[in-house]
Amino acid sequence: MSLSRLLRYNQRNNKTTASLTAEHAFSDEWAPSALLNDSVNIDINMAAKTGEALNGSYNSVSSSLPEQNMLRTGCTKSFQDDEGVELQKLTTCWMAKIDTEMPENISKIDSNIISSPVVSQVEARFIVPRDKLRKNYVDFATSFANSLSLPKSYSKFFFFASKKSKSITKKHQSSDVGDCPDDDHFSARNDHDLPITTTTMVCDEIASTSPQHEYGVYGQDGVCTTHVYSLEDSISSLSTNPLDDTYSEAVHINTRHIENTESTTHSRKSSYTTSLSNIKRLFKISSFNNHNNKLYDPASTIADDYAIASSLNETTSSYVSTASFSVMSENEDSDRDHVIQALYSNIEASTDLVSKKYKDLNVVLGEGSGGKVKLVQRVLDNKVYALKEYRSKKKKESERNYIKKVISEYCIASTLKNPNICETLEILYEDGKIFQILEYCEYDLFALVMSEKMQYDEICCLFKQLINGVKYLHDIGLSHRDLKLDNCVVTRKGILKLIDFGASSVFHYPFSSRLIEANGIVGSDPYLSPEVFYFEEYDPRALDIWSIGIIFFCMITRRFPWKYPKVKDDQFKAFCSGRGVPSFNELVTRPAADDENQYDDGYEEGVIDMGPNFLLHRLPEESHTIMRRVLEISPFKRTTVNKILQDDWVKGIEMCQVVGLAGPDEASPEIINNGDHIHTSIDQRYAHIGSLHQQT
Ligand SMILES: Nc1ncnc2c1ncn2[C@@H]1O[C@H](COP(=O)(O)OP(=O)(O)OP(=O)(O)O)[C@@H](O)[C@H]1O
């Protein structure tokens, strides 16, 4: 299906491109296309077959598959396309050059149906030098006050004092091994103090009756204890383990948070409300330490940690226990209200109207759950920017929450300074609407992928830039949580930048070794990692890593691997199969191996129809080593952004880099193309999702 046909279809069906993509990516065309092979005549839908096997009473998922269905062959050459003209049309650009320009193991795909990737996410851990932290604090407070035309002294109202309080604690798992704060999942196997919630206690009870399902929660003695997750899918379709009856109860109790799972884009209720209080807390810590001119003080950190946990609870949706929430000071809450109202009043009172400063160029770049993004020109110097007009307040939404969401996103985005992060310049208010001004980037990655013009080297370059952008976020304690093609924009010179920090979350504060887990399902289904559906709380870094893998897959194949990562999805089920474990429960909770070289995910050379190979055989062979670990089902075994960058293939990617200062207000930064690849140019009419929609 060509782009225009796809979009017309989309329009006819009154769907967004993204949801269309998601639906189509998993049509019946997928499995057979992957399996067509001259040498092995398979006339069944393998995914269905695999699903059947998974539902049967076999000892293990791998043993459940009949031997004759195991394809072990060089699958690429024998691919047979029998869709005639339509298919030929589809394989015109770089896909047509697969045999010559891409690694041999990549199989052609028989359909041109592109998935419109929907992505999400934010935020990183913070182990930053004190100097850098102080600088961040000063930059943030100053830029925030400036952007709102606040007097400098006003920024002090932005930070709150924490209240010391006792809390019941629970040990939490971490996701990887290693104590080095600069490396990977730094907090692995550390104990983390978090207030207990009702839900976690319920699950603790359940888990204690089924010790073989315990995972990833390490006590001082190094023994795993338990964690919370719900497993309705595994029960319904995968597991044959009698102990799973216990899990039925857990599912019954813990599925309240699984909402809107059929929709492509998930609610951001919790994440939006997280950001402001968390970022205030984050800077409060630096403010505190700076003010007292003393080095890291564990005592103050504990108090701060507790305060962070309190403010974090504010962000969770109604199902979360209020045991810790209730101890949050009423004063603190009203302080916060006061500040938000004051900030809002200040924006409202501003005479810096958007219509006076920017001319609307009547081009819609994109539209999402957060609002509409348009092209504008600054009156002062005729420079072009992207203007994000936030959606209006919903009827049922309180004014406070609405303002908080908008300001949170702005606070985070405007603080980030990196060549691979889109610069946010200012926030403005006019006629009851709030606007954000962003650096303009000529293309979005979704449109570039849809153009079918990208060469392999260019894809790799953009992929490495994406990893670098995420590394920057993770290094400062922030996870994005909504990474997707649509949230990557690209400049004319081929520099990729991340946008949309509406779902981002802080996972780590300076001077704290504690991992702050995220909760809630945010983002877009195809990019979500499996644990997001199964765990009540999860490490948001691992979610970002998974989304990076899905984005790479989408760039290479121009389609989604599945609709969502749940075992009721046949494609995802096939991906989970053949891994030598009895149930999905075990798959998603497998702890990290002590010895990384012992990594085992069931990968088998030559198998193309199930397990990791289900995706890998569609990707360049050189990417397999790291992509296995990126798309690792267990978040505890999944790799980290630093390790991705250490991979030989990734290290060897020639990536375009910005040298000097980035951003529209700076003198033009130099861009170094470290290879001889070129970056695709596409007609501006097709350069953004918004304009694609307008064309149809
Ligand atoms: N700085 C920019 N330059 C060019 N295009 C942009 C820019 N920012 C956003 N866009 C376009 O607008 C689209 C929507 O932007 P954004 O993701 O910020 O909106 P949103 O409402 O938060 O979307 P979502 O539903 O994903 O939350 C992007 O996919 C992109 O195509």
Side-chain angles (χ1 to χ4, degrees):
M1 189 185 288
S2 68
L3 172 61
S4 53
R5 282 182 56 197
L6 176 70
L7 292 168
R8 277 201 297 280
Y9 175 95
N10 189 9
Q11 199 179 39
R12 267 203 312 278
N13 290 282
N14 195 25
K15 292 170 194 278
T16 65
T17 310
S19 62
L20 170 77
T21 311
E23 283 166 31
H24 269 68
F26 308 100
S27 66
D28 293 341
E29 295 166 54
W30 170 263
S33 72
L35 296 166
L36 284 171
N37 191 294
D38 285 341
S39 57
V40 184
N41 183 19
I42 304 289
D43 59 353
I44 53 162
N45 179 324
M46 185 57 76
K49 194 83 175 170
T50 309
E52 192 183 296
L54 288 168
N55 284 318
S57 51
Y58 297 94
N59 289 334
S60 77
V61 175
S62 56
S63 68
S64 69
L65 287 163
E67 195 62 35
Q68 63 269 28
N69 289 342
M70 313 265 284
L71 300 186
R72 293 164 193 279
T73 175
C75 59
T76 55
K77 297 284 162 94
S78 53
F79 183 92
Q80 178 184 334
D81 45 28
D82 54 4
E83 292 186 41
V85 179
E86 182 66 15
L87 178 57
Q88 280 183 5
K89 219 168 67 187
L90 301 176
T91 54
T92 49
C93 57
W94 67 269
M95 283 299 283
K97 299 173 186 168
I98 278 174
D99 290 340
T100 55
E101 295 188 1
M102 298 186 72
E104 284 193 347
N105 68 320
I106 295 183
S107 59
K108 293 176 188 173
I109 291 177
D110 65 341
S111 162
N112 201 26
I113 294 165
I114 292 246
S115 34
S116 93
V118 190
V119 194
S120 65
Q121 277 26 297
V122 182
E123 164 163 47
R125 66 189 128 126
F126 256 100
I127 297 292
V128 285
R130 281 172 55 82
D131 289 352
K132 192 173 167 191
L133 185 64
R134 270 192 214 122
K135 186 175 177 306
N136 277 353
Y137 164 68
V138 172
D139 286 352
F140 172 77
T142 312
S143 71
F144 189 72
N146 285 345
S147 65
L148 297 176
S149 312
L150 298 170
K152 282 220 166 69
S153 58
Y154 193 87
S155 58
K156 71 174 183 248
F157 292 117
F158 203 55
F159 308 103
F160 300 96
S162 63
K163 306 265 185 288
K164 288 193 180 185
S165 230
K166 277 189 176 179
S167 68
I168 312 168
T169 61
K170 172 184 183 296
K171 290 185 174 72
H172 270 240
Q173 100 295 338
S174 55
S175 52
D176 207 338
V177 181
D179 289 326
C180 173
D182 281 326
D183 186 39
D184 313 316
H185 295 177
F186 62 93
S187 54
R189 301 197 180 186
N190 283 345
D191 294 337
H192 306 300
D193 290 343
L194 281 180
I196 266 186
T197 65
T198 306
T199 39
T200 57
M201 285 192 289
V202 167
C203 288
D204 283 350
E205 283 161 24
I206 290 164
S208 68
T209 64
S210 54
Q212 53 275 66
H213 290 288
E214 292 172 357
Y215 66 94
V217 184
Y218 296 95
Q220 279 166 334
D221 52 359
V223 173
C224 277
T225 56
T226 181
H227 196 58
V228 180
Y229 56 96
S230 43
L231 300 157
E232 85 286 13
D233 284 341
S234 56
I235 290 165
S236 64
S237 57
L238 257 183
S239 176
T240 55
N241 187 336
L243 286 166
D244 278 344
D245 282 349
T246 318
Y247 278 88
S248 303
E249 283 178 63
V251 170
H252 183 69
I253 294 163
N254 290 307
T255 50
R256 289 183 292 268
H257 69 290
I258 301 180
E259 294 167 349
N260 302 326
T261 50
E262 297 309 317
S263 68
T264 299
T265 302
H266 292 286
S267 159
R268 291 178 170 186
K269 185 177 172 186
S270 61
S271 62
Y272 269 135
T273 52
T274 300
S275 313
L276 184 59
S277 52
N278 281 351
I279 203 148
K280 280 186 291 192
R281 184 67 61 199
L282 189 144
F283 287 105
K284 186 200 78 63
I285 293 171
S286 65
S287 166
F288 179 85
N289 288 336
N290 201 15
H291 180 71
N292 290 285
N293 195 26
K294 61 183 181 183
L295 293 169
Y296 168 63
D297 173 2
S300 65
T301 303
I302 291 165
D304 285 331
D305 282 353
Y306 177 71
I308 292 161
S310 297
S311 61
L312 194 71
N313 275 317
E314 184 192 359
T315 72
T316 58
S317 44
S318 54
Y319 67 88
V320 173
S321 154
T322 55
S324 53
F325 181 64
S326 60
V327 297
M328 193 172 76
S329 148
E330 281 178 23
N331 286 343
E332 187 170 308
D333 206 25
S334 71
D335 282 351
R336 195 170 292 154
D337 267 341
H338 178 73
V339 169
I340 287 164
Q341 283 307 328
L343 291 173
Y344 184 45
S345 309
N346 194 282
I347 304 174
E348 208 172 356
S350 167
T351 53
D352 224 7
L353 298 178
V354 67
S355 58
K356 281 188 182 168
K357 289 183 86 176
Y358 296 93
K359 187 177 157 197
D360 189 347
L361 297 178
N362 287 319
V363 176
V364 176
L365 301 173
E367 203 166 350
S369 56
K372 192 186 267 185
V373 182
K374 294 200 275 186
L375 196 64
V376 293
Q377 192 171 32
R378 189 158 67 184
V379 175
L380 181 70
D381 55 8
N382 287 340
K383 276 190 180 169
V384 172
Y385 293 95
L387 173 143
K388 183 166 180 175
E389 176 185 324
Y390 281 94
R391 62 164 178 82
S392 317
K393 185 177 85 60
K394 289 174 189 158
K395 268 189 181 166
K396 288 184 180 168
E397 197 175 23
S398 73
E399 179 91 2
R400 175 179 181 265
N401 274 347
Y402 170 69
I403 299 301
K404 204 165 159 184
K405 287 170 193 170
V406 174
I407 294 180
S408 297
E409 183 177 341
Y410 174 72
C411 287
I412 291 178
S414 60
T415 309
L416 305 172
K417 304 281 178 229
N418 182 270
N420 295 121
I421 307 286
C422 187
E423 181 161 9
T424 301
L425 284 100
E426 58 179 331
I427 190 166
L428 296 160
Y429 174 90
E430 186 171 341
D431 290 340
K433 286 187 174 152
I434 301 178
F435 303 88
Q436 209 178 92
I437 306 294
L438 306 160
E439 159 187 17
Y440 171 63
C441 299
E442 282 79 1
Y443 314 113
D444 67 47
L445 191 52
F446 178 76
L448 280 173
V449 171
M450 292 276 278
S451 79
E452 305 177 20
K453 286 182 177 169
M454 285 203 291
Q455 302 285 320
Y456 179 58
D457 286 349
E458 181 184 4
I459 290 176
C460 291
C461 169
L462 294 175
F463 178 60
K464 194 164 173 180
Q465 291 186 53
L466 166 66
I467 298 165
N468 276 293
V470 174
K471 176 183 165 49
Y472 167 76
L473 295 177
H474 286 197
D475 281 349
I476 61 169
L478 196 69
S479 61
H480 188 284
R481 290 210 302 164
D482 193 14
L483 291 173
K484 56 184 175 184
L485 292 178
D486 321 34
N487 282 343
C488 299
V489 287
V490 181
T491 67
R492 203 165 20 93
K493 292 187 173 172
I495 299 300
L496 179 144
K497 291 165 190 276
L498 298 176
I499 57 167
D500 194 0
F501 294 88
S504 62
S505 67
V506 175
F507 62 78
H508 178 239
Y509 289 90
F511 312 122
S512 167
S513 61
R514 193 170 63 90
L515 169 71
I516 299 166
E517 291 179 301
N519 55 48
I521 302 172
V522 296
S524 302
D525 283 336
Y527 301 92
L528 291 176
S529 56
E531 71 273 12
V532 167
F533 290 102
Y534 296 96
F535 298 175
E536 195 146 311
E537 291 181 321
Y538 53 87
D539 181 344
R541 288 169 299 181
L543 164 59
D544 281 353
I545 299 299
W546 178 277
S547 302
I548 287 175
I550 301 293
I551 289 174
F552 182 67
F553 185 89
C554 290
M555 287 200 286
I556 292 288
T557 66
R558 303 197 312 273
R559 56 192 305 163
F560 288 123
W562 39 72
K563 195 169 178 182
Y564 40 60
K566 299 177 97 177
V567 288
K568 68 183 176 193
D569 180 293
D570 283 342
Q571 277 71 36
F572 184 67
K573 191 185 281 182
F575 178 66
C576 293
S577 66
R579 292 169 183 258
V581 292
S583 72
F584 183 72
N585 308 1
E586 290 200 18
L587 212 49
V588 76
T589 58
R590 284 204 285 197
D594 287 336
D595 178 1
E596 286 217 350
N597 297 324
Q598 298 297 311
Y599 181 78
D600 176 24
D601 57 358
Y603 173 84
E604 270 191 81
E605 211 53 63
V607 175
I608 66 165
D609 58 315
M610 63 179 185
N613 308 44
F614 184 76
L615 294 192
L616 294 180
H617 90 276
R618 294 171 172 89
L619 299 177
E621 195 164 5
E622 59 205 13
S623 71
H624 287 189
T625 306
I626 194 62
M627 291 311 293
R628 286 168 65 188
R629 291 162 170 85
V630 167
L631 292 167
E632 161 58 55
I633 292 170
S634 165
F636 313 116
K637 283 163 66 80
R638 200 170 300 149
T639 194
T640 64
V641 75
N642 286 334
K643 283 183 185 146
I644 298 177
L645 286 166
Q646 284 160 19
D647 175 76
D648 286 343
W649 165 63
V650 176
K651 273 199 285 194
I653 292 175
E654 291 170 333
M655 179 189 83
C656 291
Q657 270 176 304
V658 175
V659 180
L661 294 167
D665 285 338
E666 309 291 349
S668 268
E670 191 190 343
I671 301 201
I672 298 183
N673 185 332
N674 286 317
D676 54 2
H677 63 274
I678 49 161
H679 279 274
T680 298
S681 295
I682 50 176
D683 190 315
Q684 277 300 298
R685 286 174 299 169
Y686 307 104
H688 294 94
I689 294 173
S691 47
L692 290 176
H693 279 293
Q694 278 180 342
Q695 293 296 316
T696 55

